[in-house]
Amino acid sequence: MDEMRGLRDDEVERFLSLPLVATLATYRRNATVLLSPVWQEWATEAFHVLLSRDDIKANHVRDNPRVGIVVYEHAPPYRGVEASGMGTLVDGIYGDVLARMGPRYLPDGLPTQLASDGVVLKLVPERLRSWTFEEWFSDHSGQTQ
């Protein structure tokens, strides 16, 4: 599959509005990576991820703010977005972010335990790349393997 291309800015915005579970990378004190499934929200220039205050991922960010996130599809055309940079933990916006993000992932309503206070991991990407194999799939549709 060598016909990968990046997504246009408008495609990135639409793609990241989908309720896709992302994989967040944080770093332990020994520099090994922890990969965690997370809900994500793209807020035009930054990713938001909901964390409880004592979550291990929040502790990792306090020790080493370098983080990465990847959002991708599990079915053709296998679009995705990867971002990395320095994460910050933001107080006071957890409820607002949960109110926007929750219905995307749980359209039937949020369990009450999710309504507790927490922190929001904010990642303004220093590096962002995107991909889609849409052209490859359209060029090869109907061909047998």
Side-chain angles (χ1 to χ4, degrees), residues 77-97:
Y78 300 115
R79 297 175 297 174
V81 172
E82 175 194 19
S84 60
M86 304 302 277
T88 56
L89 298 176
V90 182
D91 284 310
I93 64 170
Y94 184 91
D96 293 337
V97 174

Side-chain angles (χ1 to χ4, degrees), residues 3-7 11 73 77-80 130-136:
E3 297 178 43
M4 179 179 79
R5 70 166 175 87
L7 297 169
E11 292 174 316
E73 292 177 312
Y78 300 115
R79 297 175 297 174
S130 65
W131 63 89
T132 179
F133 291 98
E134 186 173 12
E135 291 173 12
W136 186 90

Side-chain angles (χ1 to χ4, degrees), residues 6-82:
L7 297 169
R8 294 184 314 269
D9 289 347
D10 63 318
E11 292 174 316
V12 168
E13 295 286 333
R14 278 195 309 275
F15 175 74
L16 291 175
S17 72
L18 298 173
L20 296 169
V21 173
T23 301
L24 177 70
T26 59
Y27 295 90
R28 299 178 182 99
R29 286 187 178 156
N30 68 3
T32 60
V33 68
L34 173 68
L35 299 172
S36 305
V38 295
W39 293 355
Q40 59 79 28
E41 172 190 64
W42 175 248
T44 307
E45 82 290 340
F47 283 95
H48 291 154
V49 174
L50 299 170
L51 302 174
S52 65
R53 291 186 185 282
D54 60 350
D55 188 298
I56 191 67
K57 295 178 289 296
N59 291 336
H60 289 169
V61 173
R62 287 181 190 103
D63 289 340
N64 179 354
R66 178 135 316 268
V67 298
I69 194 166
V70 63
V71 183
Y72 57 95
E73 292 177 312
H74 296 268
Y78 300 115
R79 297 175 297 174
V81 172
E82 175 194 19

